[in-house]
Amino acid sequence: MPESTARPHGEGLTDGERYTQGMGVRREVLGDAHVDRAGAGTTELTADFQDLITRYAWGDIWSRPGLARRERSVAVLTALIALGHHEELAMHLRAALRNGLTVDEVREVILQSAVYCGVPAANTAFRIANDVYGEA
């Protein structure tokens, strides 16, 4: 593992620091309104999950230096299309624009996914993108 990505000898952020960093990245990528809604909807049942995704997904993975947010958005869009996670796809289509992708670039990602994820998956992704981007 390259030294720049390793955490030798337990070095790294504390859980609290990772949460704080994650919340900042989460707000930058998804927007304050979305994060505030997620926070307001947190229940005793979902509190641990909200903490997990803030620390792990946003504080660890989205905060790594190896890929720019644009590149991370391309990877996320493709994975969500492939797996049929439509609600998350809508959220990340909005985030992709905040991360610097254009609608034309998103179109290309969806077209590319048609080849590797399937035409029906891309067809659904285009429908969702039309709804999200107000072109329905």
Side-chain angles (χ1 to χ4, degrees):
M1 179 179 259
E3 186 176 333
S4 63
T5 59
R7 292 190 176 161
H9 313 296
E11 296 171 356
L13 301 176
T14 66
D15 277 349
E17 292 166 333
R18 198 167 21 261
Y19 183 90
T20 299
Q21 175 173 280
M23 188 56 74
V25 173
R26 190 176 181 188
R27 287 185 177 283
E28 290 170 6
V29 171
L30 301 178
D32 288 334
H34 173 83
V35 176
D36 290 345
R37 273 192 310 277
T42 299
T43 65
E44 184 177 340
L45 179 65
T46 63
D48 289 340
F49 178 70
Q50 288 296 318
D51 177 67
L52 171 77
I53 61 174
T54 300
R55 283 184 298 106
Y56 179 58
W58 300 105
D60 267 340
I61 303 305
W62 274 85
S63 297
R64 292 176 61 82
L67 294 174
R69 288 188 186 164
R70 287 174 46 83
E71 295 161 328
R72 290 185 190 282
S73 279
V74 169
V76 169
L77 292 176
T78 303
L80 294 174
I81 291 167
L83 296 171
H85 295 302
H86 302 141
E87 184 177 309
E88 292 281 317
L89 177 60
M91 176 179 69
H92 279 281
L93 285 165
R94 288 186 286 276
L97 299 182
R98 275 193 287 287
N99 286 334
L101 290 173
T102 66
V103 173
D104 288 341
E105 289 170 322
V106 169
R107 177 186 304 113
E108 293 302 319
V109 170
I110 298 172
L111 283 169
Q112 185 79 16
S113 76
V115 176
Y116 295 96
C117 304
V119 170
N123 187 47
T124 300
F126 274 120
R127 179 188 53 76
I128 294 167
N130 272 331
D131 291 346
V132 167
Y133 298 144
E135 299 174 4

